[in-house]
Amino acid sequence: MKKIIVALVCMIGLTAMAQREKGHNRDQMKDLTAEQIATLHTKKMTLALDLTSAQQEKIKAIHLEEAKARKAKHEERKAKKEEGERKRPTSEERFAMENAKLDKMIALKAEMKDILSAEQYEKWEKMQQHRKKKGSKGRKEGHKARR
């Protein structure tokens, strides 16, 4: 009986440590500047898609713009949270936010199509789909844990 209890405690501890490691990587990214994030994302894409230097420059500019927008949005949410005026968006506000997000995604896709070759673009789309699946899986697991 004691062995079973010890085994369960060890398994729970290991699981908790593994979950903490997943979030740890995101915490490190929060400390980076928008320029550093853009550089890292561009280098990862360069490795995955074998980008030329001209493509790297164009994509780095896109990543920099995205990183700056994300940082600004994060700071805005943080300030609202600290002031205590954070509230749930109305259905109209959620619609507007989702619409704006989809517009940005469409624009990004068009820009990538112009910058990348057909083969690179196809591979990039597959990477995006994989990333989307991975992200939605993590959000679902996180949602279950919060309940």
Side-chain angles (χ1 to χ4, degrees):
M1 184 71 172
K2 287 182 182 179
K3 289 181 182 180
I4 293 173
I5 292 172
V6 170
L8 285 173
V9 169
C10 288
M11 287 175 52
I12 291 170
L14 289 174
T15 304
M17 286 175 51
Q19 288 176 349
R20 196 175 321 134
E21 287 299 317
K22 287 181 185 177
H24 183 66
N25 202 11
R26 279 193 206 118
D27 293 341
Q28 289 176 340
M29 291 297 274
K30 288 181 183 177
D31 295 337
L32 300 177
T33 66
E35 291 79 13
Q36 290 171 326
I37 292 170
T39 300
L40 292 176
H41 283 232
T42 303
K43 286 187 177 190
K44 286 178 184 179
M45 273 188 72
T46 300
L47 289 172
L49 302 176
D50 196 29
L51 301 176
T52 65
S53 57
Q55 287 173 322
Q56 287 178 39
E57 289 301 315
K58 291 175 185 176
I59 289 174
K60 185 175 180 180
I62 293 169
H63 284 153
L64 181 59
E65 188 178 310
E66 287 177 344
K68 284 180 179 179
R70 271 194 311 272
K71 286 275 186 187
K73 197 76 168 166
H74 176 72
E75 291 301 320
E76 180 184 325
R77 281 193 309 268
K78 189 176 176 181
K80 282 184 179 180
K81 185 178 180 180
E82 288 173 357
E83 293 173 6
E85 57 180 78
R86 188 171 167 217
K87 59 179 169 62
R88 283 199 158 302
T90 64
S91 61
E92 292 84 22
E93 290 171 331
R94 279 196 308 273
F95 172 76
M97 289 187 301
E98 186 67 20
N99 198 28
K101 181 178 111 178
L102 291 172
D103 286 342
K104 285 180 189 176
M105 289 171 69
I106 291 168
L108 174 67
K109 205 169 186 177
E111 284 181 292
M112 288 299 183
K113 201 168 200 172
D114 287 341
I115 296 170
L116 301 174
S117 69
E119 184 181 309
Q120 288 172 325
Y121 180 75
E122 191 176 309
K123 194 171 181 180
W124 176 77
E125 276 195 316
K126 286 180 184 175
M127 287 168 46
Q128 293 299 103
Q129 289 172 352
H130 176 71
R131 198 168 151 213
K132 188 190 278 187
K133 285 179 186 176
K134 185 178 172 185
S136 67
K137 181 181 176 187
R139 281 192 295 275
K140 286 178 185 174
E141 289 172 0
H143 183 66
K144 287 178 186 174
R146 279 186 252 141
R147 285 185 174 180

